[in-house]
Amino acid sequence: MIGVVDVGGGERGVYGAGVFDFCMSRGIHFDYCVGVSAGAANLASYIAGQEGRNFAFYTTYSFRPQYMGLGLVAKKHEYTDLDYIYGGLSNSDGDYPLDFDAMAKSGKEFVIVATDAESARPAYFSLDDMSQDDYAPIKASSALPVANKPYPVNGRLYYDGGLSDPIPVRKALDAGCEKVVVVLTRPRDAYRSPDSDKAFVRLLMPQNRRIAEALANRAGLYNMQLDQAKKYEREGKVLIVAPDDIAGMKTLTKDLDAIEGLYAKGMRDAFAIEDFLG
């Protein structure tokens, strides 16, 4: 069984979009697909076989005021509108519907990582937790603390999966995958610093101590799992596909040239997958 993990990363997720468009164009098949945040959205289009769909979201729809921006903060008290992205745009009557029927018939296993808003523990959803025009697990996996409110799935609230299992390579190996491709959206030697999260931790602490603590510990967890992925790579079990440079892009950067450049890097770097899988 061949696995793939996409760690997401907001607008940097366009790198993964390039990777998966390459994979679709070359008929590269993954049996077990694990997605975190934007990585889950990337994988949904890959599993559905919709080449180019993710590119449209990053390069066209993300620039709409309904998608993300300060205007939404005033209207909805959130920086991104998850219901618009994974509902209004993705539903069967949306601008670019997700082909749920193709996903359901793909034969691929789809794991979506989120973080329980009460316990701060990782939660894992599957295709069985979604239905046509109900993509709540993907929305929950993409709900960034501070930028978004926690998102409900089956009556329970969840945040972004990157808080609790940012590089879930162990999940794929434990499921029985012999080889796993790990798609990062930062350079492979870029370790996270907790300093960038400190202000958000202070904001969250009075509202949700456990989520605030998870955010404070996110950098350490990411760095530990990155080292773990590198260890598995040395053992021949894992291939890390990562950009050599992200041109200063952050999670919510809206820079079309940088977005298109990172997509092109993903298309280029994905050639390594063919050699890895033989």
Side-chain angles (χ1 to χ4, degrees):
M1 185 162 68
I2 305 300
V4 65
V5 172
D6 186 338
V7 306
E11 290 297 284
R12 292 195 316 274
V14 72
Y15 178 80
V19 170
F20 292 116
D21 276 354
F22 175 88
C23 290
M24 282 185 271
S25 72
R26 305 291 276 235
I28 295 174
H29 175 82
F30 298 107
D31 308 288
Y32 192 86
C33 306
V34 188
V36 183
S37 192
N42 282 344
L43 281 167
S45 294
Y46 164 74
I47 294 169
Q50 293 177 277
E51 187 177 344
R53 181 175 182 272
N54 289 320
F55 183 74
F57 275 70
Y58 290 107
T59 58
T60 300
Y61 304 140
S62 70
F63 288 86
R64 292 181 177 179
Q66 308 100 301
Y67 193 106
M68 68 176 173
L70 293 175
L72 287 173
V73 176
K75 291 179 182 177
K76 302 193 66 170
H77 306 290
E78 297 189 272
Y79 190 80
T80 58
D81 189 341
L82 300 174
D83 286 328
Y84 177 72
I85 300 167
Y86 305 116
L89 292 172
S90 299
N91 287 349
S92 50
D93 60 352
D95 288 36
Y96 206 147
L98 180 62
D99 190 342
F100 183 79
D101 188 55
M103 289 176 65
K105 293 176 179 177
S106 69
K108 295 177 172 60
E109 191 162 355
F110 187 18
V111 179
I112 301 160
V113 186
T115 300
D116 187 285
E118 185 176 331
S119 69
R121 298 287 300 163
Y124 304 100
F125 298 100
S126 71
L127 272 169
D128 292 337
D129 296 301
M130 296 190 291
S131 59
Q132 180 71 58
D133 298 347
D134 180 4
Y135 308 122
I138 299 177
K139 299 176 190 180
S141 181
S142 304
L144 288 166
V146 180
N148 297 102
K149 302 167 189 172
Y151 202 89
V153 183
N154 299 325
R156 196 168 179 89
L157 296 173
Y158 298 91
Y159 276 115
D160 190 288
L163 289 173
S164 56
D165 198 357
I167 310 177
V169 62
R170 189 68 250 175
K171 183 75 174 171
L173 291 170
D174 286 347
C177 293
E178 294 88 14
K179 290 187 175 183
V180 181
V181 174
V182 176
V183 181
L184 303 180
T185 57
R186 301 171 185 269
R188 59 179 292 124
D189 293 321
Y191 288 86
R192 292 189 68 107
S193 168
D195 292 344
S196 60
D197 293 324
K198 285 181 177 178
F200 297 124
V201 171
R202 287 194 294 270
L203 282 171
L204 281 168
M205 191 61 75
Q207 306 164 33
N208 190 323
R209 175 174 288 274
R210 286 186 175 173
I211 290 296
E213 290 172 347
L215 186 59
N217 295 328
R218 176 172 66 167
L221 180 58
Y222 178 93
N223 295 342
M224 180 192 74
Q225 291 188 330
L226 178 56
D227 282 336
Q228 186 181 57
K230 289 180 177 181
K231 172 181 174 290
Y232 293 135
E233 187 175 48
R234 290 193 295 272
E235 295 172 357
K237 299 175 184 176
V238 161
L239 171 70
I240 296 173
V241 180
D244 57 356
D245 181 75
I246 56 173
M249 278 191 67
K250 297 182 180 179
T251 304
L252 300 175
T253 297
K254 290 201 286 187
D255 179 329
L256 185 58
D257 288 341
I259 289 169
E260 290 180 339
L262 201 51
Y263 173 84
K265 284 179 185 287
M267 289 279 286
R268 179 199 67 201
D269 294 347
F271 274 97
I273 297 172
E274 290 187 315
D275 292 336
F276 176 65
L277 298 182

